[in-house]
Amino acid sequence: IASIQSFCDANELDMNWKLIKKAIPKITSLSNQYPYLDEDIEKMLSVASSLRDYAFIHLMASCAPRIGEVNLIKIKDVTPIEDGAILTMYAGQLVEYKVPMTPETWKAVKNYLDSRTNTNPNFPLFVSKVGERPMKRDSIREFMKTFRDKIEVNEKDGKRKDKAPNNAFRK
């Protein structure tokens, strides 16, 4: 505003600056700017009720895929190497890339896969608890909301959150 006011003054344009300045909205701080801390992830792992939940949290913390793309990861997209594994994100697409998986994450994912009945390589990595159906995007989002509620992740002013509901793993 100061530069515009200076321009108007230099060109002798009369403006009601008091009224204009009142119309400018106040700057508010943004929410969802912070990542999950190690303590948050440890709390999530401590409340995980199944091998699937445990592997899911480990994968999110280790590889940080977008929450909306987790349901597209297939079993064949995980390639074991030495003590860990490589996760191929967006497999078969133009922007395919590989993400290393920590040994701890690989162990959790392997234990989860060993507990499943359907390990067809073309089947999704994460499935619903009942009937081993592929998890849908909405159910994954709901799954993350459940974990956030269980560990009571930071509420700010009773409403806003400092950490993104789903993608704070990516920050």
Side-chain angles (χ1 to χ4, degrees):
I1 291 297
S3 60
I4 295 171
Q5 185 176 4
S6 178
F7 173 80
C8 290
D9 290 344
N11 290 298
E12 299 179 359
L13 299 172
D14 289 330
M15 305 292 277
N16 186 348
W17 292 107
K18 189 182 271 186
L19 186 63
I20 291 172
K21 287 180 181 178
K22 283 184 181 179
I24 297 171
K26 293 180 181 174
I27 296 173
T28 58
S29 60
L30 298 174
S31 62
N32 302 333
Q33 296 298 308
Y34 296 102
Y36 286 126
L37 303 174
D38 290 341
E39 297 85 42
D40 296 329
I41 294 168
E42 287 172 7
K43 286 179 188 176
M44 285 183 193
L45 290 170
S46 70
V47 297
S49 61
S50 68
L51 291 173
R52 180 196 71 168
D53 299 353
Y54 195 75
F56 183 87
I57 296 301
H58 267 293
L59 183 91
M60 293 301 293
S62 173
C63 301
R66 286 182 172 83
I67 200 80
E69 303 301 321
V70 173
N71 64 326
L72 301 178
I73 300 172
K74 307 275 189 246
I75 293 173
K76 67 181 179 182
D77 297 336
V78 179
T79 309
I81 57 164
E82 295 180 19
D83 293 337
I86 298 290
L87 174 63
T88 304
M89 294 298 303
Y90 306 106
Q93 296 181 20
L94 186 61
V95 292
E96 173 182 298
Y97 65 94
K98 300 190 183 312
V99 181
M101 198 181 285
T102 64
E104 188 177 17
T105 300
W106 169 236
K107 183 179 176 184
V109 169
K110 188 171 179 344
N111 288 341
Y112 166 61
L113 287 173
D114 290 344
S115 72
R116 285 182 39 186
T117 55
N118 186 351
T119 55
N120 178 343
N122 291 316
F123 212 66
L125 182 60
F126 292 103
V127 294
S128 64
K129 287 184 180 179
V130 181
E132 291 202 0
R133 294 184 318 267
M135 289 179 78
K136 296 188 179 357
R137 283 185 185 183
D138 291 338
S139 61
I140 292 171
R141 285 188 176 92
E142 189 63 33
F143 177 76
M144 279 306 302
K145 183 181 181 316
T146 302
F147 271 103
R148 286 178 58 88
D149 292 346
K150 283 182 183 178
I151 67 167
E152 298 172 351
V153 158
N154 67 342
E155 283 203 17
K156 182 180 178 184
D157 302 331
K159 301 176 209 163
R160 302 177 67 188
K161 306 219 183 280
D162 284 338
K163 298 173 185 172
N166 298 317
N167 288 320
F169 289 108
R170 296 180 57 81
K171 297 195 180 278

